[in-house]
Amino acid sequence: MRKSLTDDELLAIVRKLADIADEISMTYARDTSIQVESKSDNTPVTRADREVEQALCEALSTLCPRVEVVGEEFNPNPKGSASYWVIDPIDGTKNFIRRVPVWATLIAYVEQHTVRYGMVSAPMLARRWWGSKDNGSYTSDADGKIRSIRVSNICELKDASFSYSDDADWNRINKSKNLAALKSEVWRVRAFGDFWSHLMVAEGAVDIAAEPELAIWDVAALIAIIEGAGGKITGLGGQSPLESNSAYTSNGYLHPQLLGIFSGESK
């Protein structure tokens, strides 16, 4: 049986992977001539997405051999393994191709079907976030200083700040009225989008984030960081977001109210 990696060992690995990813992605970040293709689901992909994922897979073959790597571009479905790495080479590709700086590489380690560790590296923002449920979560700011992060203590929706991406997915799953209901209840609404919404919950800057349609590579790293910061992240029905393909994130206090609004039938 494989020896379980410690959090320190996992941190060392994800830092190396993030360094590799940043170096590659930043070479393309301001390239206005980069070619964009459409995948079968009509989402965009670039050479940068593929090169980052390939480089991280190659690095993991040495850093953590014989462990499966699940990635958006080359191996999107776990092959029944209980433990595996999960990579989103560029989360926010639409931002990336338009030179909006909110995009990142997401890296997670799943052990025995539970996310053990996660890191998000957003080089254009000069920010990183990482952590685990057992040993807390941290961020490095643009000045390089590292600090621990913690969710807010807001307890009522009327005082809460809510962030999401856009209305399109909610309309597609017939939950636009539920979304509107939440917007009407909270103190403030902003559409920071993608990984950033959820990490702002982990930092306590935002109290709720929600996305109705996410893949495993979109959410795995976020789980570890949010839980390490004391927050809660589930699917729509309260199940693991690894299984639900959705992510509803809160500081914990607000979670029952959040799920209550979205689990109700649209009227």
Side-chain angles (χ1 to χ4, degrees), residues 2 84 163 172 202 241 245 260:
R2 163 176 286 275
Y84 49 92
S163 179
R172 186 160 46 248
N245 297 319

Side-chain angles (χ1 to χ4, degrees), residues 53 59 131 145 147 234 264:
E53 187 170 320
K145 292 182 179 178
R147 57 186 170 89
T234 70

Side-chain angles (χ1 to χ4, degrees), residues 34 118 164 219 266:
I34 190 168
Y164 70 119
V219 72
S266 298

